[in-house]
Amino acid sequence: MLKHYWVAFFVVVSWAVSFPVLDASAGDADPRYRACLKECGETGCVGQRCFPNCNFSSDGVSVDRPWYMREPLYQQWKQWDCQSDCRYYCMVDREKEREAAGNGPVKYHGKWPFKRVYGIQEPASVAFSVLNLATHFHGWISFFILLYYNLPLRRDKKTYYYFASLWHIYALLSLTSWFASALFHSKDVDLTEKLDYSCAVAILGYSLILSILRSFDVKDDAVRVMVAAPLLAFVTTHILYLNFYKLDYGWNMQVCVVMAVVQLLLWAVWAGVTRHPSRWKLWVVVVGGGLAMLLEIYDFPPYYGFLDAHAAWHATTIPLTYIWWSFIRDDAEFVTSNQVKRLRNSNVAKKAK
């Protein structure tokens, strides 16, 4: 069974190695595209389209409206700044020319040429991010109902499942991460990019801690703190580094890949040695998640300007998330059943004495 892990391991590492290649932007060097950007920067127009965010005086100097004439922030969200509008419409016009000449699409500034929908930059990725968020929320609610309404509770109304609080934190971090992903794919600006990266690192780091605690069945709170403290310190330092020192894409990718690979290894080994009745679900998630990374390796341009490989990868995580929360619920039932049986046997032994 471990051979499946090496498939996932190879996929993740290959994805990391290929990352710089995937981020290449051939469209940036196109002379016509660059000339369009230059003209737009001087005039605020691309062809017959002129942008309200590009304001110029009669002598061609850029001016900005005073703060009291600007729209509220919640209305500004759907708008783009001058540079973004110039890049987008220059890209659109250049891609039309390339299509007419029989050439395929190329990347601009690290991204495929997407079509905006109501100001949303990558509508398919946003939709799938929202669906992932909804799936996590459904999984968390069903897990909560199972714990506190369907499974037996202790006399103090606490659950027998001693990993319950850890999964609640995991759910909150997952919801936050997918919300940040939806924001980032809606509008790629410095704030949403850093928020997305920070949340991704946070959930990866916490998932690593959770995989260690569950696979080694760590129950003692002191031991949990000893395991979690150094990892939490590293993850926090890394997030601060990305936000306040340097957003180093290469270093961040290495950190994320290492945490992902270690998790895959832990879950794969545990699934291979445990007698858990739902270990097959764990295998589906581990192997399926690894194979889904192939979509990141074999990158392809968006169909009809909407669905690219990254959006498709987001789509594959939806059923995997559903299976994952199904495993978590099964694990809660499994551990609770064992705890109740152990308590009953202990009571019987005491009565026998």
Side-chain angles (χ1 to χ4, degrees):
M1 294 179 71
L2 286 177
K3 65 181 181 180
H4 295 298
Y5 165 73
W6 292 110
V7 174
F9 176 86
F10 173 77
V11 168
V12 174
V13 173
S14 300
W15 173 54
V17 172
S18 65
F19 181 78
V21 178
L22 295 176
D23 195 45
S25 303
D28 300 354
D30 190 316
R32 295 187 179 181
Y33 174 74
R34 296 173 70 89
C36 177
L37 284 183
K38 183 179 179 181
E39 180 182 355
C40 183
E42 295 173 351
T43 65
C45 299
V46 175
Q48 300 299 319
R49 294 181 295 263
C50 295
F51 314 117
N53 291 324
C54 299
N55 298 302
F56 296 87
S57 62
S58 58
D59 58 356
V61 178
S62 178
V63 296
D64 197 4
R65 291 177 294 176
W67 64 270
Y68 53 82
M69 293 182 62
R70 298 176 187 174
E71 292 182 338
L73 285 176
Y74 69 89
Q75 292 183 3
Q76 292 180 29
W77 175 256
K78 63 184 179 182
Q79 297 179 354
W80 293 84
D81 58 22
C82 181
Q83 183 187 57
S84 298
D85 278 332
C86 287
R87 285 182 175 183
Y88 177 73
Y89 287 103
C90 284
M91 175 194 72
V92 169
D93 289 352
R94 187 67 190 104
E95 283 301 306
K96 288 180 180 178
E97 295 172 357
R98 291 179 57 85
E99 184 179 2
N103 298 321
V106 294
K107 287 187 175 182
Y108 298 82
H109 307 285
K111 291 182 176 290
W112 288 112
F114 292 96
K115 294 180 180 179
R116 293 179 184 174
V117 177
Y118 297 108
I120 297 176
Q121 186 173 356
E122 301 176 38
S125 291
V126 171
F128 293 136
S129 294
V130 172
L131 287 175
N132 271 285
L133 188 152
T135 306
H136 272 287
F137 184 73
H138 173 269
W140 182 31
I141 293 300
S142 61
F143 173 69
F144 184 89
I145 293 174
L146 174 70
L147 278 180
Y148 297 100
Y149 293 95
N150 296 337
L151 293 179
L153 297 174
R154 299 179 184 272
R155 292 181 179 178
D156 57 2
K157 300 300 180 181
K158 293 183 179 180
T159 68
Y160 285 97
Y161 186 53
Y162 40 85
F163 294 107
S165 60
L166 297 177
W167 287 117
H168 290 322
I169 297 173
Y170 168 81
L172 291 173
L173 288 175
S174 296
L175 294 176
T176 304
S177 179
W178 283 111
F179 178 72
S181 174
L183 289 180
F184 174 63
H185 290 298
S186 297
K187 194 169 187 177
D188 181 0
V189 295
D190 184 65
L191 176 62
T192 57
E193 182 181 38
K194 288 182 177 179
L195 180 63
D196 182 48
Y197 276 68
S198 299
C199 290
V201 172
I203 188 61
L204 273 174
Y206 183 79
S207 297
L208 174 58
I209 294 172
L210 194 51
S211 65
I212 296 173
L213 298 181
R214 181 62 191 97
S215 59
F216 288 97
D217 197 26
V218 180
K219 305 175 185 177
D220 186 73
D221 290 338
V223 178
R224 290 184 177 186
V225 171
M226 292 176 63
V227 171
L231 291 173
L232 287 175
F234 172 76
V235 169
T236 302
T237 303
H238 181 64
I239 292 174
L240 292 174
Y241 174 84
L242 294 177
N243 283 273
F244 300 105
Y245 182 72
K246 181 182 179 181
L247 187 56
D248 191 329
Y249 298 99
W251 167 243
N252 182 65
M253 180 56 60
Q254 293 176 26
V255 170
C256 291
V257 167
V258 169
M259 290 193 294
V261 168
V262 172
Q263 288 177 65
L264 282 175
L265 177 60
L266 285 172
W267 287 121
V269 171
W270 186 65
V273 300
T274 186
R275 295 183 179 180
H276 199 289
S278 297
R279 59 185 178 274
W280 67 271
K281 294 181 181 179
L282 188 57
W283 274 115
V284 170
V285 173
V286 171
V287 178
L291 294 177
M293 288 293 182
L294 289 172
L295 291 169
E296 295 286 350
I297 297 176
Y298 299 105
D299 195 19
F300 56 82
Y303 287 104
Y304 301 103
F306 296 110
L307 183 65
D308 70 327
H310 186 71
W313 175 64
H314 278 327
T316 61
T317 58
I318 297 172
L320 293 177
T321 298
Y322 183 85
I323 298 173
W324 179 240
W325 275 104
S326 176
F327 165 76
I328 295 171
R329 291 193 299 270
D330 292 348
D331 188 51
E333 293 185 21
F334 177 67
V335 172
T336 299
S337 176
N338 288 339
Q339 289 291 102
V340 171
K341 288 180 181 178
R342 188 174 303 174
L343 183 61
R344 287 176 180 174
N345 292 336
S346 176
N347 292 334
V348 170
K350 289 180 179 179
K351 290 180 180 180
K353 292 181 180 180

